[in-house]
Amino acid sequence: MVAARTFQAVDWYITEMSDNGSAAPVCLQIDQVWKIFGNRPERALTMAESGSTRADILKATGCTVGVRDVSFDVMRGETFVVMGLSGSGKSTLIRCASRLNEVTKGRVLLDGDDLTAMSEDELREVRRHKMSMVFQHFGLFPHRRVIDNAAYGLEVRGVDKGERIERAMEVLEVVGLKGWENHYPQQLSGGMQQRVGLARALTVDPEILFFDEPFSALDPLIRRDMQDELIRLQETLQRTIVFITHDFAEAIKLGDRIAIMKDGAFDQVGTAAEMITNPQTDYVREFTKDIPKTKVLTAASVLMDGDSTAATHRVHLEDTIESVLPHLLSDLSPVGVDDVEGTAVGIVDRQAVAHVLEAEE
Amino acid sequence: MTEALEAPVGVGARRLDRAAVSWLILGAGVIGLQLLFAGRTFPAIWDTLISGPIDQFEAWGRSNRLTHPLFTGFFQPVTDVINWGLTAIEESLLWLPWFVLPVAVFAIIARNGNWRSGVVAGLAMVYPGLVGLWEPTIETLALMGVSVLITVAIGVPLGVLAAFRFRFEQGMRPLLDAMQTIPAPVYFIPMLLFFGIGKVPAAVATVIYALPPVVRLTALGINKVPVAAVEASRVFGSTNRQTLVKVQAPMALPTIMTGVNQTIMMALGIVVLATLLAAGGLGQEVMDTLRLRRPGRGVAAGLAIVAVAMVLDRVSRSLAERDRSKQIDKRWVLGGLAVLGGLVVFGRATGAVAFPTVWGVRILDPLDAIVVWARDNLSFITRPLNDFVVADVLLPVRDFLLLSVAWPVLIFVTAWLAWKWKGMGLAIFSAVSLLVVGFIGMWELSIITLVQVIAAVLVSVAIAVPIGVWAGRRPKVEKALGPILDGLQTIPSFVYIIPVVMLFTIGQVPGLIASVLYAIVPGIRITALGIRQVPNESIEASQTFGATPRQTMLGVRIPLAAPTIMLGINQVIMMVLAMVIIAGLVGGGGLGFETVNAVVRNETGLGFEVGLAIVVMAMILDRITQSWAERLQPPATP
Ligand SMILES: Nc1ncnc2c1ncn2[C@@H]1O[C@H](COP(=O)(O)OP(=O)(O)OP(=O)(O)O)[C@@H](O)[C@H]1O
Ligand SMILES: [Mg+2]
């Protein structure tokens, strides 16, 4: 059921993208992945496939179901966010995707190559050239200077010293650490340490970046800085990103699409707006409850057919309701909506906005 | 509801029954065995079971040393390599002008800004020369150097292996545990068999004895590297080798260096004892002066050992220090090396190489006189004390355990304790190994040693626990004691014997006093730690109920600290045992004295039997007291 829903979402996304004319091939494909921790995964797997709950399986077999039949695709250049409560299996999922954990069942395809079937050597090659990761507790090397931390990926790849230092310096400058390259990580603040983690991941110029709650250990102000920084970087770099968080606000801010995870499985996959206007489970509703909808929903989500030529105010499809509201309040008439090219596509009126805002109260 | 209440009562009642039964078993066993065996000595039916074959093997070895491949193909090459290393180090240290060494010691320590410590260590390095002991000191340093190099070369790879191969670690652990409980002189015995006497067997014994800390701490250091760092390394496509070399090893380095520091201190401890194997060096110097009745020189030589210990400790700690912010410029390092090089050239050019005779006999003779004077004038205390301890304590207790109590009773009681505190496995092990010790004819010697251990442990605990409790409650006291205890802990065990021998001449009592002095340090340390670790909330809870300080102490602090204090007592027992054995060197009697006899008279078979008895005693004492400490631990909350 969940899988089917996921594919719908993917289909929608592909259509959406191709409509815009920029075909985005799939970068990472997670195909019915299971991860079971413990000594008797086979039994646990049989039980789980016949529908037993996580708790029952734990009691009967002593095995923990970390990831339960999860499937999704991430397009090239997309930021895919996985969120869920502590223990829901987010880390396990991302670790399966990078094969830090072996999957119990299922496949992980990167550029169409099956990571789970690779030998150690093949896997190492892929890791050296295609992926990198940023960790929640940074995972920096305290015995190496910032510059040597950043250059690590190139170093293990065998790039010679001058070249890797040069490249690492460039990246350190991009993440705002110029001048700190000869310090040791302990001499830096938490936010700066995570910038080092980010630099280390970017230096190898990976196709895909895995982020496991990279900003959770930072305090709120620095966290916001880092989020903005990542958005800024992503605008120019256009990498494929899988990002884990337990903070829905962060998910909305960074994610093109969001998956909500519970007990090892996906509850719902979609855009932030979809989650808010149409939560498919109570768990999802719980997450989205405290999010100010006016900040997330856009004119597109309340768009109605209608003639907008008479409207005094005009907004774009992508504008948030928050920015549309003043126009609606200042004037009784509907607001006209244009798309990116400036063509009029419809209207938004008071009633429609009031309707979505009250929908699930 | 009622069911839930009833259940624990039932369990409690059953437990009571079991306790009663176990006491009944003890009573019945003791009385029955006493009646059956009273007045019979332990039949040494296996007298030659071990010594026979060993002596035969040794005789065979002696006549085949030059021909058999076991010797020509293995032991001889090993001997040659070690000998070569020893000579090389010793000769190059003696080739260097003497003042280079103290300056180098100073420079290494002071490079991190620890000027005072550097000056003190540099001066300490000069001291042995001042009292005319430069060459034996270099000899000791060379023996240490070779042994520590070999130990690290073997120990670090073993530690790495243990960190990566769980099975291997599992297999190593009991072996390392056992190695750490065995007193040093025992390691000399098997050396006789393969290497005879001299420096090489001393080096090999040192390597084996000093191996555990470096293996342990290497494995610990690597396991302690945060998983995130290791995974980060993997995710970037490092091979296992790259991860080990670039991430795990450098991050484990400070811990490994701590292991090396411990290894160095242990090596020094045994290298000075290797006078037994005629390995020369400072230990030999001490033994000779004692034998020649020149106690002042003995004290001077003992202090030289202390000085070397201090220098080695400071230098190895300083090398282990990895404070990144304190790192110094390469230019300073090069400058320092250039200065040292200049000193070498200067010394060689001017011929100022050997340590000049400074005071020579002028200071040493009066020193002898002073110590002799002190001994004679203190004999009004030392003589009666000695007589009292021997005649009124050690002998009566020994006779009681040896003659009045039938030997099976002692074995039974030991096994019962082992069973009660740990379980059937330890009980069987204790009983069987004690029987073997008796059957090979080591019972009487073991009892003599046991009596010494008990006496010294009782005195040590009576001193250490109160001081430890006091220090644990008063941070100021602990802070003041800290450096003294630190210093005492770096002094090799052998040195403790010197001052007491000076005052008491030889016999059992100086050994006991040295044991007490040696063992109270960890006793105080660990007791203070236990008291300090008692959670403040528990103390405050007790105080809010209006408990007096005394009530809080007896009712809360001591019970909560008891498991840790018990571990301290376990340490005290092991250290006392080690020292009682070492005291064999000065006529301490019992197993220790017999070890010395065996080594000196080259009775290797006897040596093995004594060694076995010591190992058995060490393991039983260690396991039983440790399980006692574990039982004092409050049950873990579910
Ligand atoms: N190596 C392991 N062995 C056994 N169980 C594990 C292991 N790693 C994770 N688990 C279990 O798998 C489940 C999911 O853990 P996971 O770390 O993926 O959660 P998470 O969503 O990342 O949580 P958090 O937000 O706290 O990081 C948990 O119940 C955890 O106990
Ligand atoms: Mg996690």
Side-chain angles (χ1 to χ4, degrees):
Chain A
M1 202 44 221
V2 175
R5 221 185 285 144
T6 314
F7 284 127
Q8 271 168 21
V10 169
D11 290 342
W12 167 84
Y13 192 77
I14 291 172
T15 355
E16 185 81 339
M17 295 303 276
S18 33
D19 278 351
N20 284 350
S22 60
V26 177
C27 178
L28 178 74
Q29 221 176 331
I30 304 290
D31 181 17
Q32 299 177 10
V33 163
W34 291 78
K35 175 65 193 179
I36 288 163
F37 294 108
N39 297 326
R40 289 185 297 172
E42 308 82 19
R43 247 202 87 200
L45 196 61
T46 337
M47 280 185 75
E49 280 172 334
S50 62
S52 304
T53 65
R54 221 181 183 191
D56 288 343
I57 295 168
L58 182 62
K59 206 181 281 172
T61 66
C63 294
T64 310
V65 181
V67 172
R68 186 175 187 132
D69 194 19
V70 168
S71 300
F72 62 92
D73 290 358
V74 186
M75 303 304 136
R76 195 170 304 288
E78 182 188 20
T79 303
F80 186 88
V81 175
V82 179
M83 65 162 309
L85 295 178
S86 189
S88 56
K90 308 180 299 289
S91 294
T92 310
L93 178 62
I94 207 172
R95 293 164 59 86
C96 284
S98 58
R99 225 182 114 178
L100 281 173
N101 283 345
E102 297 291 339
V103 305
T104 310
K105 194 183 163 194
R107 296 187 311 158
V108 175
L109 303 173
L110 182 61
D111 287 338
D113 300 325
D114 187 356
L115 285 186
T116 53
M118 282 183 184
S119 69
E120 278 291 315
D121 290 342
E122 290 167 329
L123 177 66
R124 193 173 309 124
E125 278 312 300
V126 170
R127 284 176 167 174
R128 284 184 177 181
H129 296 280
K130 291 192 172 173
M131 65 165 79
S132 56
M133 190 155 172
V134 180
F135 296 83
Q136 175 169 6
H137 297 290
F138 317 150
L140 296 178
F141 308 127
H143 60 292
R144 294 171 152 251
R145 293 172 305 161
V146 166
I147 182 88
D148 300 322
N149 265 283
Y152 187 79
L154 297 178
E155 184 178 332
V156 297
R157 209 193 264 179
V159 175
D160 62 47
K161 188 155 183 181
E163 193 180 333
R164 65 175 191 249
I165 296 292
E166 190 182 329
R167 170 83 187 122
M169 284 298 288
E170 282 167 26
V171 176
L172 284 177
E173 190 168 352
V174 170
V175 300
L177 281 179
K178 194 169 183 204
W180 292 93
E181 55 276 357
N182 287 325
H183 285 68
Y184 284 89
Q186 313 82 283
Q187 299 171 318
L188 271 54
S189 69
M192 289 165 81
Q193 290 190 22
Q194 194 56 300
R195 281 168 198 263
V196 179
L198 191 57
R200 183 175 64 179
L202 292 176
T203 312
V204 294
D205 199 15
E207 259 168 55
I208 185 161
L209 278 152
F210 295 110
F211 288 83
D212 189 358
E213 302 202 30
F215 307 145
S216 299
L218 307 176
D219 55 49
L221 285 181
I222 295 176
R223 191 185 311 164
R224 211 177 56 200
D225 275 357
M226 293 296 288
Q227 290 163 354
D228 295 339
E229 183 85 27
L230 184 62
I231 290 171
R232 185 178 67 76
L233 284 171
Q234 180 64 350
E235 268 165 15
T236 48
L237 295 174
Q238 295 288 331
R239 295 293 120 155
T240 310
I241 291 176
V242 179
F243 192 102
I244 303 253
T245 178
H246 58 242
D247 175 6
F248 196 57
E250 187 169 78
I252 292 170
K253 194 164 171 187
L254 300 175
D256 294 322
R257 274 186 308 146
I258 299 168
I260 295 201
M261 200 168 183
K262 185 191 177 196
D263 289 347
F266 278 1
D267 254 28
Q268 185 171 354
V269 182
T271 61
E274 284 173 358
M275 301 261 166
I276 290 174
T277 50
N278 185 20
Q280 290 176 359
T281 64
D282 288 344
Y283 184 69
V284 177
R285 186 166 305 133
E286 200 57 31
F287 263 117
T288 56
K289 194 174 70 180
D290 296 329
I291 297 300
K293 289 175 184 161
T294 51
K295 286 197 161 108
V296 178
L297 299 183
T298 56
S301 51
V302 287
L303 186 67
M304 300 189 307
D305 286 338
D307 180 18
S308 67
T309 42
T312 39
H313 300 286
R314 310 207 63 87
V315 296
H316 282 293
L317 262 178
E318 317 282 293
D319 289 347
T320 58
I321 293 186
E322 190 178 36
S323 61
V324 179
L325 271 177
H327 304 306
L328 286 174
L329 294 176
S330 66
D331 194 337
L332 275 176
S333 61
V335 175
V337 181
D338 300 335
D339 68 8
V340 208
E341 274 100 40
T343 341
V345 288
I347 55 164
V348 170
D349 70 3
R350 286 186 167 202
Q351 244 174 347
V353 170
H355 182 72
V356 288
L357 291 186
E358 273 164 21
E360 282 102 26
E361 304 293 313
Chain B
M1 219 24 231
T2 42
E3 261 178 29
L5 273 179
E6 263 165 25
V9 175
V11 171
R14 229 174 296 138
R15 237 187 240 149
L16 214 68
D17 287 346
R18 272 194 54 188
V21 167
S22 71
W23 285 103
L24 270 179
I25 293 177
L26 177 70
V30 167
I31 295 169
L33 289 170
Q34 179 69 22
L35 290 178
L36 271 173
F37 287 89
R40 300 191 202 187
T41 52
F42 209 122
I45 49 174
W46 292 343
D47 204 7
T48 54
L49 181 77
I50 294 175
S51 59
I54 298 265
D55 284 338
Q56 262 171 19
F57 177 80
E58 198 190 17
W60 172 85
R62 209 171 294 138
S63 45
N64 290 286
R65 194 167 289 270
L66 297 177
T67 50
H68 195 274
L70 179 65
F71 291 99
T72 56
F74 181 71
F75 289 111
Q76 197 53 45
V78 169
T79 307
D80 291 343
V81 169
I82 296 176
N83 245 330
W84 176 83
L86 275 169
T87 325
I89 295 191
E90 203 173 312
E91 280 178 358
S92 40
L93 284 179
L94 285 175
W95 178 86
L96 287 177
W98 67 269
F99 43 80
V100 173
L101 214 51
V103 173
V105 165
F106 163 78
I108 291 174
I109 298 172
R111 80 184 196 289
N112 288 339
N114 301 326
W115 297 99
R116 242 183 48 183
S117 179
V119 170
V120 172
L123 289 179
M125 193 65 241
V126 177
Y127 167 80
L130 293 181
V131 291
L133 292 172
W134 188 252
E135 288 195 13
T137 302
I138 296 296
E139 232 179 317
T140 295
L141 284 178
L143 190 50
M144 293 265 319
V146 168
S147 314
V148 170
L149 281 180
I150 301 176
T151 312
V152 172
I154 298 175
V156 170
L158 283 181
V160 171
L161 206 59
F164 289 113
R165 298 265 175 279
F166 182 67
R167 282 270 172 81
F168 182 72
E169 201 261 356
Q170 290 268 295
M172 288 281 282
R173 199 184 302 168
L175 196 67
L176 294 178
D177 280 345
M179 281 169 81
Q180 287 192 309
T181 59
I182 300 173
V186 176
Y187 287 87
F188 294 143
I189 296 161
M191 295 306 125
L192 291 172
L193 205 50
F194 303 111
F195 297 97
I197 60 170
K199 287 192 171 152
V200 173
V204 177
T206 306
V207 168
I208 302 172
Y209 177 70
L211 202 54
V214 102
V215 177
R216 284 234 149 105
L217 286 162
T218 301
L220 176 73
I222 288 183
N223 285 329
K224 239 179 36 183
V225 172
V227 186
V230 174
E231 289 190 336
S233 170
R234 294 240 163 86
V235 133
F236 285 102
S238 312
T239 59
N240 289 339
R241 209 191 142 83
Q242 282 175 320
T243 305
L244 176 64
V245 174
K246 291 176 193 287
V247 177
Q248 287 163 305
M251 285 177 76
L253 200 58
T255 314
I256 298 177
M257 285 306 293
T258 308
V260 172
N261 168 272
Q262 286 187 21
T263 285
I264 289 177
M265 300 323 284
M266 284 180 75
L268 182 64
I270 187 171
V271 158
V272 293
L273 281 177
T275 154
L276 265 182
L277 292 174
L282 286 171
Q284 193 69 45
E285 212 62 35
V286 172
M287 284 314 285
D288 288 350
T289 48
L290 290 186
R291 214 167 283 140
L292 296 171
R293 309 213 166 258
R294 285 179 157 169
R297 286 178 161 82
V299 171
L303 285 177
I305 297 178
V306 175
V308 169
M310 198 189 84
V311 169
L312 290 172
D313 187 47
R314 298 255 168 114
V315 168
S316 59
R317 266 170 211 266
S318 172
L319 289 176
E321 191 174 309
R322 296 256 134 195
D323 190 344
R324 300 275 168 201
S325 56
K326 276 197 195 165
Q327 273 212 338
I328 45 160
D329 211 290
K330 278 211 180 82
R331 276 171 304 177
W332 281 99
V333 177
L334 290 177
L337 286 176
V339 170
L340 285 178
L343 283 178
V344 173
V345 173
F346 167 75
R348 295 296 311 180
T350 56
V353 175
F355 204 102
T357 314
V358 187
W359 293 322
V361 193
R362 266 190 299 141
I363 185 154
L364 293 175
D365 279 342
L367 203 58
D368 285 338
I370 292 173
V371 176
V372 170
W373 178 86
R375 180 178 68 200
D376 292 346
N377 281 280
L378 283 174
S379 67
F380 76 97
I381 310 177
T382 53
R383 181 86 37 86
L385 180 65
N386 189 51
D387 294 348
F388 166 75
V389 172
V390 173
D392 295 324
V393 181
L394 297 177
L395 288 182
V397 178
R398 187 196 74 184
D399 288 346
F400 173 73
L401 289 180
L402 213 49
L403 306 175
S404 312
V405 178
W407 59 266
V409 172
L410 281 184
I411 296 183
F412 178 74
V413 172
T414 310
W416 184 83
L417 283 176
W419 168 72
K420 190 144 176 76
W421 284 333
K422 183 77 189 191
M424 215 43 180
L426 185 60
I428 293 172
F429 169 80
S430 307
V432 171
S433 51
L434 284 177
L435 280 174
V436 171
V437 166
F439 286 142
I440 60 174
M442 289 291 128
W443 188 253
E444 189 177 336
L445 290 172
S446 302
I447 294 294
I448 295 176
T449 297
L450 182 67
V451 172
Q452 293 179 352
V453 169
I454 293 174
V457 166
L458 289 179
V459 178
S460 307
V461 169
I463 299 172
V465 170
I467 298 183
V469 169
W470 184 49
R473 292 202 49 196
R474 308 237 183 285
K476 269 194 194 150
V477 175
E478 199 174 9
K479 221 170 152 205
L481 281 177
I484 304 175
L485 299 181
D486 277 345
L488 288 175
Q489 275 191 317
T490 58
I491 298 177
S493 50
F494 182 52
V495 175
Y496 283 82
I497 292 184
I498 300 169
V500 279
V501 170
M502 308 279 105
L503 298 179
F504 286 84
T505 69
I506 59 174
Q508 295 197 41
V509 175
L512 290 190
I513 296 178
S515 308
V516 171
L517 292 178
Y518 184 54
I520 54 176
V521 176
I524 294 172
R525 270 264 150 92
I526 302 177
T527 305
L529 178 76
I531 294 288
R532 189 157 27 85
Q533 275 176 345
V534 172
N536 231 348
E537 287 144 56
S538 307
I539 309 285
E540 283 170 358
S542 163
Q543 283 162 351
T544 50
F545 285 109
T548 62
R550 201 183 129 82
Q551 285 171 321
T552 305
M553 187 48 125
L554 295 179
V556 178
R557 252 191 244 268
I558 291 195
L560 282 178
T564 313
I565 296 179
M566 201 47 225
L567 279 181
I569 294 178
N570 167 274
Q571 276 283 307
V572 167
I573 294 175
M574 300 322 290
M575 293 188 70
V576 161
L577 179 64
M579 193 58 133
V580 161
I581 300 299
I582 292 169
L585 280 172
V586 292
L591 293 170
F593 191 54
E594 209 63 15
T595 311
V596 175
N597 274 343
V599 177
V600 172
R601 288 199 238 118
N602 227 331
E603 294 181 33
T604 314
L606 173 69
F608 269 83
E609 290 183 348
V610 182
L612 181 71
I614 295 174
V615 171
V616 164
M617 185 179 288
M619 286 181 66
I620 293 178
L621 284 173
D622 184 47
R623 291 299 125 75
I624 289 186
T625 47
Q626 256 186 30
S627 8
W628 187 8
E630 277 160 28
R631 287 188 64 93
L632 288 174
Q633 207 80 44
T637 42

